[in-house]
Amino acid sequence: MKNFKSTLIAAAALLVLMLTSCDDKSKDPTNPVITTPFKFTEGFVDQVEHPTSIDVSNWMAKLDDNTKVCKLSIPGTHDALTGMGFYDPVLKCMFNVTALSQVSTLEQQLQHGVRFFDIRPIVSVDTVAHARVLRCTHGMSELDITFERALDIISGFLKTHPGEFCIVKIQHDNGMEDQISWVPMMLELMAKSKYDDLFADWKPDLRVGEMRGKVLFFNRVSVDGLVGAKCPWPDEDPDVDENVYYDQERSRSIESCYDSSVKSTLWVQDYYKVTTKQRQDTKVAAVLKMLDDARTVTSVPDDNTWIVNHCSAYTFPSAQGYVENAQVVHPRVIENLLFNTGTVGIVAMDFSCYDNVHVIVNGGTPYTSLYLYGNKPCSQSMINLLIESNFK
């Protein structure tokens, strides 16, 4: 049954690949420059509409140590590691089309100011080492990076940028039936000496000075033994109910992994399927309302509400579907940031680090590639404005 299911997924992915291949064969470049696992057109230079004078690779160093982390605006990425490429040598070309939500690498995201990362480790088998590893994934599409490698990249960045910190959201994906082995593997990994003093404990009024150089985990899993914060919020699936209930989004809970009595309120907006115009309009309204409501609570000194607002969603589960939503939502967020002051919490996005996406997914002939020319998510502009909102 499992092999049959995999075959169906592969067949569906191949169909999507064929349907979404380039419809303008004249755009096939001859010498693409490879700066990520994907190919950007030769000579591509991103044009950022809203540049900033702030060093986005080191922006947190300018923050006051006494500022509460929950009072910040923090740029983030949804399914952060899909820009690292996919692992399966046979299926990765199809996964590039069906499961891609980033074309920037983890290193690029860190350098471009992103500090919140949606990372989803699962138990997997390394076909070279013939050993079980914690591999990162997006649904059933395993990524070409292990969870340990992702932590090493983040840890290395924080060592060279000691004024920065990162928040990593982890959750079960790909079914994650094997929770029994997942937990000890995670604990064994986190106990390695190279990660000494890397992981932060969570508390409602956590301060910037306590976080510098550290990683805070947001655990969307209800298992014991992990570090950081436990916040298992439910999915907002429009297939179940197309409506967004703002009171429910603002009544989640976040608590310490060590002491469940240490808790606070968590706001989460994560409406992720915008397959109709009505759903797209609902998504935009939900994102903008969360931004406006966030400013209300971040302006209250004694309030310790934590906020995660997802711009991410898809019009269809594909690279094109993710970027189509981004280029609708992001300009509206930018407009909101330009005409309002105040901080808005964590804002997660797809296709980060580029205002204009000029990439060839898969590479090769026009019949095996998806051309994301002409898409304009304005993501770096949004990152810049989110960062600037912390200093107004």
Side-chain angles (χ1 to χ4, degrees):
M1 178 60 70
K2 186 174 182 181
N3 290 337
F4 177 72
K5 184 176 181 181
S6 299
T7 302
L8 279 180
I9 291 172
L14 180 58
L15 178 61
V16 172
L17 177 63
M18 294 171 64
L19 293 175
T20 56
S21 61
C22 179
D23 56 6
D24 184 354
K25 309 303 186 289
S26 65
K27 288 183 176 179
D28 188 17
T30 55
N31 295 299
V33 176
I34 302 176
T35 55
T36 75
F38 312 104
K39 298 180 181 180
F40 285 84
T41 57
E42 185 177 16
F44 168 66
V45 177
D46 191 30
Q47 299 295 319
V48 179
E49 289 193 2
H50 298 282
T52 179
S53 60
I54 296 173
D55 178 4
V56 295
S57 70
N58 211 39
W59 66 270
M60 287 181 162
K62 295 181 60 178
L63 298 171
D64 189 296
D65 278 351
N66 290 320
T67 303
K68 293 180 182 179
V69 176
C70 64
K71 300 297 185 186
L72 299 175
S73 296
I74 300 177
T77 45
H78 156 258
D79 272 303
L81 301 183
T82 56
M84 305 299 288
F86 295 90
Y87 180 66
D88 190 291
V90 176
L91 298 177
K92 66 180 179 180
C93 286
M94 290 178 283
F95 290 154
N96 280 340
V97 174
T98 60
L100 190 74
S101 60
Q102 307 291 337
V103 290
S104 53
T105 64
L106 180 56
E107 294 93 338
Q108 288 174 317
Q109 292 173 31
L110 286 161
Q111 289 290 340
H112 284 241
V114 177
R115 296 293 179 267
F116 172 88
F117 304 94
D118 168 19
I119 299 179
R120 308 177 183 192
I122 63 167
V123 178
S124 178
V125 176
D126 189 304
T127 56
V128 176
H130 301 289
R132 294 196 310 169
V133 296
L134 285 175
R135 184 173 301 285
C136 301
T137 190
H138 178 189
M140 298 191 70
S141 311
E142 294 188 21
L143 308 179
D144 198 16
I145 181 171
T146 64
F147 188 64
E148 182 171 5
R149 177 59 184 150
L151 284 182
D152 288 345
I153 292 172
I154 293 172
S155 176
F157 177 82
L158 294 177
K159 287 177 181 177
T160 58
H161 299 77
E164 307 300 291
F165 65 82
C166 295
I167 300 175
V168 173
K169 185 211 62 171
I170 60 174
Q171 70 181 65
H172 293 155
D173 212 345
N174 196 13
M176 268 310 300
E177 296 83 2
D178 196 3
Q179 293 188 33
I180 295 176
S181 60
W182 181 84
V183 175
M185 288 180 70
M186 178 67 74
L187 296 178
E188 181 181 0
L189 173 62
M190 294 169 66
K192 290 189 175 185
S193 59
K194 63 181 176 179
Y195 301 134
D196 287 350
D197 299 320
L198 178 63
F199 306 121
D201 296 334
W202 178 87
K203 59 183 180 180
D205 61 347
L206 187 63
R207 311 282 171 150
V208 168
E210 299 171 294
M211 275 294 297
R212 295 197 190 279
K214 295 183 180 295
V215 172
L216 174 66
F217 281 117
F218 273 18
N219 300 291
R220 270 192 75 184
V221 289
S222 297
V223 295
D224 296 326
L226 300 178
V227 300
K230 188 184 296 185
C231 45
W233 67 76
D235 286 337
E236 286 188 277
D237 189 346
D239 289 341
V240 177
D241 191 335
E242 290 200 7
N243 298 312
V244 171
Y245 298 98
Y246 298 132
D247 57 337
Q248 293 181 15
E249 290 184 338
R250 289 152 182 75
S251 62
R252 313 301 183 198
S253 179
I254 180 170
E255 64 184 46
S256 167
C257 285
Y258 293 121
D259 185 350
S260 60
S261 67
V262 179
K263 61 179 61 179
S264 188
T265 301
L266 174 69
W267 292 5
V268 180
Q269 182 282 124
D270 193 8
Y271 187 90
Y272 62 91
K273 293 180 184 177
V274 293
T275 50
T276 66
K277 184 181 185 305
Q278 178 183 338
R279 290 183 178 187
Q280 183 75 81
D281 292 343
T282 299
K283 174 68 175 182
V284 171
V287 171
L288 297 180
K289 181 166 175 56
M290 184 68 83
L291 291 175
D292 293 337
D293 291 353
R295 293 186 182 93
T296 301
V297 296
T298 59
S299 65
V300 179
D302 294 332
D303 190 290
N304 294 321
T305 299
W306 290 66
I307 302 161
V308 183
N309 191 3
H310 291 84
C311 293
S312 51
Y314 58 77
T315 60
F316 182 76
S318 66
Q320 185 65 45
Y322 284 111
V323 77
E324 283 177 353
N325 170 75
Q327 63 186 8
V328 170
V329 176
H330 293 186
R332 297 295 302 277
V333 172
I334 287 171
E335 180 183 34
N336 184 283
L337 293 170
L338 285 171
F339 291 99
N340 295 278
T341 59
T343 53
V344 294
I346 296 164
V347 178
M349 70 192 75
D350 291 320
F351 283 89
S352 65
C353 302
Y354 296 100
D355 269 20
N356 300 270
V357 178
H358 222 250
V359 70
I360 312 163
V361 179
N362 293 336
T365 73
Y367 302 102
T368 62
S369 298
L370 172 66
Y371 290 69
L372 295 178
Y373 295 155
N375 291 283
K376 194 173 182 181
C378 296
S379 299
Q380 190 59 48
S381 285
M382 188 165 73
I383 291 171
N384 292 347
L385 292 171
L386 285 167
I387 290 171
E388 288 183 348
S389 72
N390 295 291
F391 304 103
K392 292 182 177 178

